[in-house]
Each structure stands twice: as structure tokens, then as C-alpha cells.
Amino acid sequence: MAENNAPQENVEGTIEKMMQFKPFRHFDSHGHAGLEKAGIADRPGCMDFWCGNSVVARTMMGARAVMGDPNPFAIIETAEQCPPLTPEVFVQSMDQANIEGMCLQCIHGVTDPYPGNPDGWRWYVPNEYVKKTFIDAHPGRFTAVGGVHTRYGVQAALDMVQSAYECGFPGLKFHTATSGYPNQQEMYPVYEKCVELGLHVQFHTGCEELPGTRTKYQSPLYLDDVGMDFPELKILQLHCGIFNNMEMGLWNVMKHENMYTDIVIPMPTLMRFRQYFDMDHIRFLEFFMPDKVFYGTDYPMTLPFYKAMLDNIMLMPISQEFKQKLTGDNFRKFINWQSK
Ligand SMILES: [Zn+2]
């Protein structure tokens, strides 16, 4: 009977398991640079997030309101009318939410032609811009992945990989919505190069409301080929196929040892419900892939509720251990992040 009287300080009760009793700095695995006001007209596609009467521009009205636009529901058309977003606004939001670092998406993308745009819609956020304006200007707060596509040929795509590598980025991002199927043969030399250089590749899956983007390219189904053909490549399946084929997205991560996913939402006001507020979904992730899922936000798309989103996760009745993995440690490990 003596054992029963032994001190029990190492045994956690329910309350200790659920409460955030230790301060924890989070990591945002997915934010977007490029929408800053300074020089926005020089970065193709970026003004389309704020300007015109489109789904994405209407969604960004909340962010405009937070940044002081007295008439955020007015349709705007010029660079001058864009809100005063700067890298410092990013840092301020991160500080308020106790987020240590953010991984920014540099983007290279050109869509298929569509009526009214025979050359396709172009989205371009250069690696060098993000490195200089965010990473170097705010040490310890940002990292990034470089954009890549094969619309300009295989050699141009390999140059994009080299550029990301030289910038010191941990990986690449392939925006399927603009750039086509992830299992297209032209991309295979890119994946080989990434394995060689130790870079991971992020793939957009799910849905996308940007001009000229096609839903078929974004199905997680086509990522299965890449997982099969490149077992050495570390793959981050962005958005887990939301609104397209989320079950397949979940299956990819369970099937492939080299595949990871996130709970990022490409269109907050329409899509946030499932991934951020659905207990069944979060519990599924906790049960089947606790080490392979990342918290991310698509900031500044989520600027108006940046802290509230995270608070919601931290208040969910899931284990403290999983909360810390999900909102920080899993992604830090994935990119080998060294805290400053
Ligand atoms: Zn995104």
C-alpha cells in the first residue's frame, strides 16, 4: 500500500492537460508578402487583392477597415487608394498574438488564358523583395518559400529553385491554382533539384478565388503522384484540399510519410468554419497526424481576426501537447527553425 502514498506531482489531471499554463510562442506557417502599399503596382497581381469588385477584394474590406479606411466598402481602383500595409503591421499583429515567426509565400504564377485575358493572370512576389523587406529588416521574425512554376520552361523553373536556395529559404511554393497540375512532368526536374538541395515544396490545394485560377489543378488527388514518385521530397499540402477534396487531403498525409498539411484557409470569411472551428476535424488531426499538421493564417487576409483565430484554437478542448505542436513546434521542426 506504500505506493499509494507516494507523491503524485508528475501525474496530470484533466485541468492541467487542457489549460495553457505555460507561455508559448506560436509560429504562423503561412503568410503573404507583396500586398504592402509601397511599390504594390510593381508586383503583378498584388493590387487585385485590394482593387476591383471581386470576391477577394470584397473579403479584404475588413482588413482595410482595421487599417483605418473610413469607407472600407467602397470599391477602390488605384495603388494610391490601397491601405497602408507595411511589414511593421505584420510584426505588430504577430506581437499581439504572441507569434514568434511567420513563413511568407513568395509567388510565381501565371494562369491559363481565359476570356478577357489571353496571356493569363500573373501573380509575382519576388524572392529578393521579401528577403530584403521582411527577413533582413526584421531578424528572427520571418522566413519564406520561393515561388516556382514551369510556364516559362524547365530551365526557368530550375533558376527559380536556385534563387530561393541562394536567398536561404527552406523551400519552394508551387501555386497549382495558377500554374497547373503538381504532377506535370515538367515539374519533376524541379522536385529532383529540391531533394538534392534539401528544400521542401509547398503545394496549394483546395479552392482559389483569384482571377483565372482553375479548380481542377487544386485537387489533392494529383499530389498523390508527387508523394509516390518522390519519397525523399518533403511536401507541405497547403489548405488540406478545403472545399475541393478534404478527405483526399487527409488521406494523402496518412498515406505518405513525406507529406504534411496545415489548417490554413485561403478565403477566411467563406471557409474558416471547418478548419478553425470544427471540433471533429481538429480531433481527427490530433488523433491521426499530431506531428504532421501546421497552424497558418494566410495573413493579411485574416488581419481583422488574427489573434481571435489563435485564441479559439488555444481554448479548444484538445491536449496542451497537441496545441503546442500544431501552433508552433511542428512547423519549427519541419523547416529547422532556430529561434533568435
Ligand atoms: Zn496563401
Side-chain angles (χ1 to χ4, degrees):
M1 298 307 285
E3 299 92 303
N4 288 351
N5 297 327
Q8 297 286 303
E9 67 264 0
N10 293 327
V11 180
E12 285 187 345
T14 306
I15 289 172
E16 286 79 3
K17 277 184 209 154
M18 295 303 172
M19 299 284 283
Q20 186 182 18
F21 57 95
K22 291 176 195 145
F24 181 73
R25 296 197 80 197
H26 311 282
F27 204 101
D28 184 344
S29 66
H30 186 133
H32 282 275
L35 310 188
E36 301 71 50
K37 184 168 187 161
I40 191 168
D42 302 330
R43 295 184 291 274
C46 291
M47 267 176 66
D48 292 332
F49 282 79
W50 303 115
C51 299
N53 188 6
S54 63
V55 174
V56 62
R58 291 198 301 274
T59 300
M60 297 302 278
M61 287 170 173
R64 284 167 54 192
V66 171
M67 284 185 279
D69 188 334
N71 192 7
F73 298 117
I75 306 300
I76 58 174
E77 301 289 351
T78 66
E80 198 40 52
Q81 292 170 308
C82 288
L85 181 64
T86 61
E88 288 67 36
V89 176
F90 281 64
V91 173
Q92 202 176 53
S93 293
M94 290 159 67
D95 286 346
Q96 282 165 3
N98 199 20
I99 288 180
E100 174 193 8
M102 184 191 284
C103 182
L104 296 165
Q105 310 257 310
C106 302
I107 300 279
H108 254 304
V110 185
T111 69
D112 290 347
Y114 60 99
N117 198 345
D119 297 326
W121 181 77
R122 189 163 165 241
W123 187 16
Y124 181 39
V125 180
N127 296 346
E128 300 71 25
Y129 165 75
V130 174
K131 180 173 165 15
K132 183 169 169 239
T133 329
F134 284 86
I135 300 174
D136 294 348
H138 298 275
R141 304 308 300 271
F142 296 101
T143 180
V145 286
V148 64
H149 66 69
T150 60
R151 299 286 195 193
Y152 306 149
V154 172
Q155 188 52 52
L158 291 172
D159 291 346
M160 294 172 197
V161 176
Q162 188 63 31
S163 161
Y165 182 70
E166 284 170 13
C167 284
F169 296 170
L172 276 299
K173 145 96 174 229
F174 181 74
H175 188 239
T176 56
T178 51
S179 306
Y181 292 114
N183 61 346
Q184 56 182 278
Q185 289 305 303
E186 293 82 356
M187 280 300 288
Y188 275 37
V190 167
Y191 305 146
E192 276 163 28
K193 184 85 183 162
C194 286
V195 170
E196 190 190 309
L197 296 174
L199 302 171
H200 75 268
V201 183
Q202 306 190 1
F203 294 91
H204 176 99
T205 62
C207 283
E208 185 71 88
E209 69 294 344
L210 293 166
T213 55
R214 303 208 180 224
T215 302
K216 64 182 177 184
Y217 296 142
Q218 306 170 53
S219 170
L221 180 67
Y222 304 105
L223 209 44
D224 176 57
D225 277 342
V226 185
M228 289 295 291
D229 296 339
F230 293 91
E232 303 294 310
L233 181 67
K234 278 205 315 189
I235 297 170
L236 169 48
Q237 172 189 257
L238 303 170
H239 313 296
C240 200
I242 191 168
F243 269 31
N244 182 315
N245 192 342
M246 185 176 262
E247 305 307 319
M248 184 61 67
L250 292 168
W251 175 244
N252 276 344
V253 181
M254 290 190 283
K255 178 184 175 188
H256 298 288
E257 216 166 295
N258 56 333
M259 215 180 291
Y260 299 73
T261 196
D262 61 26
I263 58 167
V264 181
I265 29 115
M267 178 45 67
T269 48
L270 298 179
M271 296 184 183
R272 65 182 151 155
F273 303 104
R274 172 125 190 217
Q275 299 206 82
Y276 287 87
F277 299 106
D278 183 339
M279 270 314 299
D280 284 347
H281 183 69
I282 297 286
R283 284 203 172 112
F284 187 96
L285 298 172
E286 181 179 22
F287 190 82
F288 286 103
M289 52 195 79
D291 301 302
K292 296 177 78 183
V293 59
F294 311 138
Y295 177 78
T297 64
D298 248 343
Y299 187 93
M301 272 63 102
T302 47
L303 191 153
F305 34 85
Y306 193 63
K307 183 171 185 300
M309 284 160 63
L310 187 59
D311 287 346
N312 190 68
I313 301 252
M314 296 311 287
L315 289 170
M316 277 180 166
I318 49 179
S319 71
Q320 181 65 21
E321 187 191 357
F322 180 57
K323 285 176 189 172
Q324 296 201 353
K325 285 180 175 181
L326 172 68
T327 68
D329 286 348
N330 282 351
F331 191 72
R332 285 189 185 98
K333 200 169 154 198
F334 182 74
I335 62 166
N336 203 9
W337 172 263
Q338 308 294 335
S339 295
K340 287 242 158 45

